[in-house]
Amino acid sequence: MPASRSSCASSVAGSRVSTRTIWSQARRCSGVSQRGVFEAGVTPPIYLTLEPIAPSLRTESSNLNYLEAVMRVAIIGAGNVGAGLAEAATTAGHEVTVVAAHQENAVEVAGNVGAKAAATAAEAAQGADVVVLAVPAGAAAGVLREVKGAGAVVVDATNPLNDTFSDLTTGGTSHAEQLAAGAPGVKLVKAFNTVFASRLGAPSEDGRPLDGFYAGDDDAAKQVAADLLASLGFRPVDAGSLRMARSLEELAFLNISLNARNGWTWQSGWRLAGPTA
């Protein structure tokens, strides 16, 4: 049974504790499972639908409104995805640092959303709980070399599109697997790549959260990615090992292709729907 609201609120009031502790408290208080932060009893569905184009306002679980889950998030990249993540993460109450190839871009994004700007990726990653690679796929390996010594969980949000956006540059593997192979020991998780920048601040449709898929080989690192997704309003969906990043990159490519070919407005998002039993 979920704990009482008063006991949960008093247990975290007036203090900042670790992200894992606070989300563990959230799960205890709301009665949700390890992978979810929404109402108890909701089961993950089994078929895939592409949600309508019109964005919706974020929905928050009433059980979690009084909890403050703070992560130190380093976002590498200040383009559409990096800026969107920075805004969504600061809005969620996280401590965000932004860095970009051109520092003036990082300064601008940080100033717009209430984050901090760093001069280098290594500086941004220092002390971070999670580092998000929101750069072009071709630049990701170089950035990873800069941040791998920080010990943070690294989230690969990239998609390896070719120059004409007509295909992926990978074959028989994923970009995430290639990054991991080139940086042994790094706790890497594929996440956020299936979410358009336009939906990072609008993670629900028709009052229901969109899905945030993630994949990786380190369970603790995956939980950090799941917690970040949940805190931004998405329903975290564990896709499995890092091998499944191949599917997530193809899923992102499908959504990109649909929007480009059909003249959609780049606001569609994925949600699994239907019973699992």
Side-chain angles (χ1 to χ4, degrees), residues 30-32 37-42 60-63:
S30 60
V32 298
V37 293
F38 302 100
E39 287 77 13
V42 173
E60 302 287 348
S61 167
S62 59
N63 286 330

Side-chain angles (χ1 to χ4, degrees), residues 20 23-24 27-28 31-38 214 219-220 222-224 226-227 230 236 238:
R20 281 200 186 94
W23 279 110
S24 175
R27 290 191 290 268
R28 184 180 70 83
V32 298
S33 67
Q34 184 179 17
R35 298 300 182 190
V37 293
F38 302 100
Y214 62 98
D219 286 342
K222 288 169 68 174
Q223 188 60 58
V224 171
D227 290 348
D238 186 350

Side-chain angles (χ1 to χ4, degrees), residues 13-204:
S15 64
R16 286 195 175 188
V17 295
S18 72
T19 301
R20 281 200 186 94
T21 298
I22 205 74
W23 279 110
S24 175
Q25 181 75 359
R27 290 191 290 268
R28 184 180 70 83
C29 294
S30 60
V32 298
S33 67
Q34 184 179 17
R35 298 300 182 190
V37 293
F38 302 100
E39 287 77 13
V42 173
T43 56
I46 57 170
Y47 61 88
L48 196 61
T49 58
L50 192 62
E51 288 306 312
I53 288 173
S56 299
L57 295 176
R58 176 177 311 202
T59 57
E60 302 287 348
S61 167
S62 59
N63 286 330
L64 301 180
N65 282 344
Y66 56 92
L67 293 174
E68 181 182 22
V70 179
M71 281 187 184
R72 289 165 299 192
V73 183
I75 298 174
I76 317 299
N80 290 338
V81 173
L85 271 172
E87 182 173 11
T90 53
T91 299
H94 299 303
E95 299 173 1
V96 177
T97 302
V98 182
V99 68
H102 301 285
Q103 190 178 12
E104 63 270 22
N105 294 338
V107 170
E108 180 181 0
V109 168
N112 289 341
V113 305
K116 294 184 291 186
T120 66
E123 178 189 333
Q126 191 63 40
D129 296 308
V130 58
V131 176
V132 182
L133 304 181
V135 296
V143 172
L144 186 56
R145 286 192 293 270
E146 292 185 57
V147 305
K148 66 179 182 179
V153 171
V154 176
V155 168
D156 172 29
T158 69
N159 286 304
L161 295 165
N162 64 16
D163 291 339
T164 60
F165 298 95
S166 60
D167 203 350
L168 301 181
T169 60
T170 50
T173 186
S174 67
H175 186 242
E177 289 172 287
Q178 292 174 341
L179 290 176
V186 171
K187 298 171 287 188
L188 190 138
V189 181
K190 191 76 182 185
F192 288 103
N193 73 299
T194 61
V195 180
F196 282 156
S198 61
R199 299 313 302 239
L200 291 168
S204 65

